[in-house]
Amino acid sequence: MLKFIKMKANTNIYIFLGLMLMFTASSFGQENLNNYLEIAGNNNPALKAKFNDYMAAMEKVPQVGALPDPTAVFGYFIQSPETRVGPQRATINLSQSFPWFGLLSAQEDVATEMANAKYEEFENTKSNIFFEVKTAYYNYYFIEKAIEITKKNVEILEVFKRLSLVKIEAGNASIMDELRVELELNDLENQLELFLDTKNVFRVKFNNLLNRDDMSEIKVPEVLWQEEIPLDQFNMLDEIYTSNHQLKGIEHKLNAFLNQEIVAKKQGLPKFNIGMGYTIVEKNPMLTVSDNGKDAFMFPSVGVTIPLYRKKYKALIKEAQYKQEVEISRIEDKKNTLSSVYENTYKDFSDSDRRIALNLRQSEIAKKVLDILIVSYSTNAKDFEEVLRIERQLLKYELEHQKALTDKNAAAAFMDYLIGN
């Protein structure tokens, strides 16, 4: 009894240590993925291009918010007109135009909202690149596990082959058993070669996303962790409508065109001009007045630009209003699209979750059946085809289990993209 308790305690320790190792491996894998995401955020050229596009748009704000440049005019008299204080030689005039009150700030608002739309494009690109990095990472994990599982199955078939040869030599089996194993081995080895080629493709794609050397090492965990959706099904869609970068970008454009309508209205209002003039006068030796040769200074001169041709300004207002309608329709269309995409992604996530549990159960059952069949075959020559069939099923279930893990995490990663994480 004491011995049984001790054995049970040791078994519990082994199970605990195994779970700890799995948890540590998963945590290590998540840390690696976070490091890869940081590298992609710093190095990806498409992301850099979008950020510089946003910075360029921000430089538009001070341009549209500045007053028009002042105008300076210099005039020289070839034939100087004679005045009471002497002949005029030259004139200098300076003038500054001022738009209607609030026009410049409204133009700044338009440029700011358009820059904000560019920023949302940058954030959407970043979220999309992070989704692509995660998906590429999960695919690389799957191909590593597929290679590992296939190699193990090749080893199992090699054992079957040796067992069949022993039974053939003993006269207890037919040469057909060995040939059947050869057929299975040829198929598996061909599949293994395809997995190895695919692994190289996935490695190149992943490293290109990080903008680093194609053959750089990629570290994946022994056991892939399972991502979960942070919110329930109904709240998740509300969060998408609130946080999705594409939707927010459209909303900023709508705000820009609302301000563009204000700009168009203010452009149709009068503009003011304030100026000053300075006239250079020479002395007239024939005059004896006290201010002989005194220059003349005039300040201020005030003018008003009256926008008489109203069709242009009415067209500008209608243009801004039509563009508002465009963005309102785009928001509605984008919400419909996001709703459909979300439902499909949630379906994929739920299906993957079910397939994880199903294929794990099926693998365990197939292993038990295979063990029984191997024992049965070792004692008689029956059921060899059944042995090979169950072995194929076991390989399928193990691969499907790993594929379901990667599909579930990829669906969760796409959910993160939809909410802009």
Side-chain angles (χ1 to χ4, degrees):
M1 181 70 179
L2 184 62
K3 184 178 180 182
F4 173 75
I5 294 172
K6 186 176 180 181
M7 289 175 62
K8 187 175 181 181
N10 288 337
T11 302
N12 289 337
I13 291 172
Y14 293 144
I15 293 173
F16 174 75
L17 290 175
L19 291 172
M20 286 297 295
L21 286 172
M22 288 174 61
F23 176 77
T24 304
S26 295
S27 299
F28 181 71
Q30 286 175 305
E31 184 179 347
N32 280 336
L33 179 55
N34 289 334
N35 290 336
Y36 292 139
L37 292 174
E38 184 177 353
I39 293 171
N42 292 329
N43 292 352
N44 188 274
L47 193 56
K48 290 180 179 179
K50 284 294 182 181
F51 182 74
N52 287 326
D53 199 19
Y54 158 67
M55 293 300 292
M58 283 298 295
E59 295 301 323
K60 191 76 175 175
V61 178
Q63 297 177 43
V64 299
L67 287 169
D69 292 329
T71 302
V73 179
F74 175 80
Y76 184 81
F77 295 105
I78 298 174
Q79 292 182 344
S80 302
E82 190 66 42
T83 66
R84 183 183 65 81
V85 293
Q88 296 180 356
R89 286 298 181 190
T91 61
I92 301 172
N93 293 293
L94 294 173
S95 63
Q96 174 67 61
S97 176
F98 294 92
W100 190 262
F101 307 105
L103 175 61
L104 295 181
S105 62
Q107 290 180 163
E108 284 184 338
D109 291 339
V110 172
T112 300
E113 290 295 341
M114 294 302 288
N116 288 337
K118 290 288 185 182
Y119 180 77
E120 294 301 332
E121 288 182 18
F122 159 72
E123 286 289 344
N124 184 67
T125 301
K126 183 174 72 172
S127 296
N128 184 57
I129 287 171
F130 282 4
F131 163 67
E132 289 186 7
V133 170
K134 290 177 183 178
T135 304
Y137 184 81
Y138 300 144
N139 286 336
Y140 191 81
Y141 163 84
F142 169 73
I143 208 68
E144 287 271 35
K145 299 304 289 186
I147 291 169
E148 179 184 325
I149 292 168
T150 305
K151 285 180 177 179
K152 286 181 180 177
N153 277 267
V154 168
E155 293 173 3
I156 292 172
L157 286 179
E158 291 287 356
V159 172
F160 289 166
K161 183 178 179 180
R162 289 194 294 270
L163 180 61
S164 65
L165 287 173
V166 170
K167 292 180 70 66
I168 290 169
E169 290 175 0
N172 296 326
S174 166
I175 189 69
M176 294 296 292
D177 291 352
E178 181 194 357
L179 294 176
R180 289 191 189 102
V181 176
E182 285 287 348
L183 288 173
E184 293 290 332
L185 276 172
N186 291 338
D187 286 340
L188 270 188
E189 287 169 354
N190 180 68
Q191 188 174 4
L192 181 59
E193 291 298 322
L194 175 61
F195 284 150
L196 290 169
D197 290 341
T198 306
K199 176 183 176 180
N200 186 58
V201 173
F202 285 169
R203 181 196 291 118
V204 170
K205 179 180 179 180
F206 183 84
N207 286 319
N208 282 340
L209 287 169
L210 272 60
N211 197 31
R212 64 179 190 172
D213 185 77
D214 290 347
M215 304 310 293
S216 296
E217 181 186 6
I218 304 170
K219 296 179 181 178
V220 294
E222 280 296 318
V223 179
L224 186 64
W225 67 93
Q226 295 188 44
E227 295 284 359
E228 300 296 337
I229 297 176
L231 300 171
D232 62 63
Q233 187 171 3
F234 298 105
N235 291 334
M236 191 70 181
L237 189 57
D238 290 338
E239 181 64 23
I240 290 172
Y241 289 159
T242 301
S243 304
N244 182 266
H245 292 301
Q246 290 179 312
L247 262 180
K248 289 164 76 174
I250 298 172
E251 288 167 358
H252 282 302
K253 287 183 179 179
L254 174 59
N255 291 335
F257 293 130
L258 287 170
N259 285 291
Q260 186 64 51
E261 183 179 353
I262 297 172
V263 169
K265 290 177 179 177
K266 290 183 179 293
Q267 284 178 335
L269 297 173
K271 301 177 181 63
F272 305 99
N273 295 282
I274 298 177
M276 56 168 284
Y278 189 84
T279 303
I280 301 172
V281 180
E282 280 190 350
K283 285 186 178 183
N284 187 339
M286 305 298 294
L287 296 176
T288 58
V289 295
S290 60
D291 52 358
N292 183 16
K294 184 178 180 180
D295 296 339
F297 179 76
M298 182 181 69
F299 181 82
S301 61
V302 179
V304 178
T305 302
I306 300 174
L308 295 177
Y309 307 107
R310 305 303 303 170
K311 290 180 66 176
K312 176 177 72 173
Y313 301 106
K314 289 179 180 178
L316 286 171
I317 293 171
K318 292 298 292 183
E319 179 187 5
Q321 290 172 344
Y322 281 128
K323 287 183 176 180
Q324 292 167 30
E325 292 298 323
V326 169
E327 300 307 323
I328 290 171
S329 298
R330 286 184 63 200
I331 288 173
E332 185 177 359
D333 179 64
K334 178 56 69 175
K335 283 186 174 181
N336 290 338
T337 301
L338 288 173
S339 176
S340 299
V341 170
Y342 165 72
E343 290 297 336
N344 189 61
T345 306
Y346 192 87
K347 180 265 295 180
D348 291 342
F349 178 85
S350 300
D351 178 61
S352 300
D353 206 26
R354 290 190 296 268
R355 287 191 290 120
I356 289 171
L358 171 65
N359 286 289
L360 187 59
R361 288 197 305 271
Q362 297 294 77
S363 295
E364 292 172 352
I365 294 171
K367 286 176 184 176
K368 291 176 182 178
V369 173
L370 188 60
D371 290 341
I372 294 170
L373 288 173
I374 290 173
V375 172
S376 175
Y377 179 72
S378 64
T379 57
N380 58 70
K382 296 179 180 180
D383 298 327
F384 189 70
E385 288 187 8
E386 188 67 10
V387 170
L388 294 181
R389 188 182 71 82
I390 294 297
E391 188 278 332
R392 283 195 299 270
Q393 282 191 319
L394 177 59
L395 172 63
K396 172 180 173 289
Y397 293 140
E398 288 178 336
L399 290 176
E400 285 296 325
H401 174 68
Q402 296 299 330
K403 187 67 171 65
L405 281 173
T406 59
D407 288 347
K408 179 181 179 180
N409 281 14
F414 192 69
M415 288 288 192
D416 283 342
Y417 163 71
L418 291 177
I419 61 175
N421 287 343

